């Protein structure tokens, strides 16, 4: 196992990670970033971003992440592919992070910007057909089902937004809602209810995604009548929320019951000195690109102040 030292190690490359990198690099802290599982983060699987200040005409998610990457690299970010696979946060100013199981980085400070990932139902058929008609990203994969019928499971804002997006491409969208009501905001509910080619099935649980080398349908059960039925679809979308990517930090960092890292109020400080968290890994409320970027800035400033206070910079 090779070993290297870093002043500031940033894990994750979404808006939080890159903003932390821009601030840390401009402060002369020579940050090293490992981009993680999904370089560029969740925005790389989005299309239009219209609510990030500074883009009056909107921008495509992947293009925005390219801009952030270039901006951070302009100030000297050491930007690398690789995934943190284990950590040891027991030695202050010498936190250990294993990358891809073959490299150890010993970092004075660590900025966690590992984000969150889509949740799945946990059905065997869903896993088997993932990428063969099962998807957690309508914007990425909706195009493949143009003119076809699809189903989407979920009842939050994401499910409504994605159902509406799919309704513009697909012949028909069936929304599978497990309770007798939505969780989504009123405006999003109205939008799907008023879209003629979206059918909403309440009290409906997904039992199985059907098909062998592609999705042919979905077997569902009405939770009130107990009746089972099959809906013929070519695409099956899952939009039931996200899980923070924080598993490797458990045992060291305080987290809530879902795995979101707890930070000291108004800061990015975790319970371990020198370890800071930003973006969706610590935010289960706002989860926006702009709030992620804001907390990334906080993490870099907190890391800089911590290094200065410890006489390390
Ligand atoms: P949410 O946690 O808000 O909603 C998840 C939905 O999935 C719930 O309706 C839940 O059902 C359902 N669900 C969970 N597990 C299952 C399961 N096993 N089977 C069937 N259904 C299941 O997640 P979202 O991703 O929708 O939203 C996250 C946050 O982002 C929210 O705060 C949301 O407001 C925000 N957001 C805002 C947008 C906007 O304003 N434009 C767009 C997208 C997101 P149940 O209700 O029964 O628990």
């Amino acid at each position: 196992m090779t070993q290297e030292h870093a002043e500031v190690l940033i894990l994750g490359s979404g808006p939080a990670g890159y903003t932390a990198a821009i601030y840390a690099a401009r402060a002369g802290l020579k940050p090293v970033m490992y981009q993680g599982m999904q370089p560029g983060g969740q925005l790389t699987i989005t299309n239009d971003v219209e609510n990030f200040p500074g883009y009056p005409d909107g921008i495509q998610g992947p293009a925005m992440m390219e801009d952030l990457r270039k901006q951070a690299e302009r100030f000297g970010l050491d930007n690398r592919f690789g995934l943190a696979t284990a950590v040891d946060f027991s030695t202050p100013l010498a936190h250990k992070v294993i990358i891809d199981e073959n490299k150890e980085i010993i970092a004075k400070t660590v900025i966690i910007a590992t984000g969150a990932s889509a949740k799945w139902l946990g059905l065997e058929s869903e896993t088997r057909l993932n990428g063969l008609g099962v998807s957690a990203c309508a914007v990425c994969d909706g195009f493949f089902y143009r003119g076809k019928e699809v189903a989407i499971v979920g009842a939050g804002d994401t499910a409504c937004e994605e159902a509406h997006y799919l309704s513009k491409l697909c012949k028909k969208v069936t929304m599978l809602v497990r309770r007798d009501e939505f969780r989504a905001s009123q405006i999003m509910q109205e939008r799907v209810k008023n879209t003629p080619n979206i059918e909403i099935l309440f009290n409906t649980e997904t039992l199985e995604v059907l098909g062998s080398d592609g999705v042919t349908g979905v077997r569902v059960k009405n939770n009130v009548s107990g009746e089972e039925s099959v809906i013929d679809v070519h695409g099956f979308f899952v939009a039931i929320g996200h899980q923070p990517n924080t598993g490797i930090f458990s045992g060291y960092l305080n987290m809530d019951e879902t795995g979101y890292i707890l930070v000291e109020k108004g800061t990015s400080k975790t319970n371990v000195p020198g370890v800071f968290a930003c973006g969706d890994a610590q935010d289960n409320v706002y989860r926006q690109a702009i709030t992620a970027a804001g907390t990334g800035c906080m993490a870099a400033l907190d890391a800089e102040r911590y290094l200065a206070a410890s006489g390390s910079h």
Side-chain angles (χ1 to χ4, degrees), residues 175-312:
M175 284 191 85
L176 308 174
V177 176
R178 69 176 172 183
R179 289 186 297 135
D180 61 356
E181 60 178 2
F182 279 104
R183 180 180 293 272
S185 54
Q186 204 60 38
I187 186 169
M188 299 300 276
Q189 293 189 33
E190 292 307 320
R191 191 176 291 176
V192 292
K193 285 177 184 164
N194 293 331
T195 303
N197 65 337
I198 297 180
E199 183 182 7
I200 302 157
L201 300 181
F202 288 103
N203 297 308
T204 301
E205 185 188 343
T206 306
L207 298 177
E208 186 185 4
V209 190
L210 304 171
S212 49
D213 49 5
V215 170
T216 56
V218 55
R219 189 161 61 83
V220 298
K221 181 172 124 184
N222 183 297
N223 283 330
V224 176
S225 66
E227 196 181 315
E228 289 188 19
S229 57
V230 168
I231 306 166
D232 293 333
V233 289
H234 286 96
F236 180 73
F237 290 86
V238 180
I240 61 168
H242 289 80
Q243 177 72 35
N245 301 318
T246 57
I248 59 166
F249 311 114
S250 69
Y252 290 101
L253 300 187
N254 293 339
M255 299 178 190
D256 71 8
E257 65 285 351
T258 330
Y260 286 94
I261 297 170
L262 298 176
V263 292
E264 192 181 302
K265 195 170 168 23
T267 78
S268 66
K269 295 175 190 167
T270 69
N271 56 301
V272 175
V275 178
F276 306 92
C278 52
D280 285 11
Q282 54 83 57
D283 173 17
N284 66 351
V285 178
Y286 300 104
R287 296 184 263 204
Q288 300 300 300
I290 188 67
T291 50
T295 55
C297 161
M298 289 163 65
L301 294 178
D302 286 341
E304 185 186 0
R305 286 169 193 165
Y306 172 81
L307 288 169
S310 62
S312 296

Side-chain angles (χ1 to χ4, degrees), residues 92-140:
L93 293 169
H95 294 304
K96 297 189 184 74
V97 177
I98 308 294
I99 306 292
D100 292 333
E101 286 163 15
N102 60 26
K103 179 178 277 200
E104 183 177 68
I105 308 285
I106 300 171
K108 288 184 182 167
T109 59
V110 179
I111 293 178
I112 297 170
T114 48
S117 302
K119 278 192 206 161
W120 298 95
L121 296 172
L123 301 170
E124 181 279 326
S125 53
E126 171 193 53
T127 313
R128 184 170 45 80
L129 291 163
N130 198 330
L132 297 170
V134 172
S135 165
C137 178
V139 172
C140 323

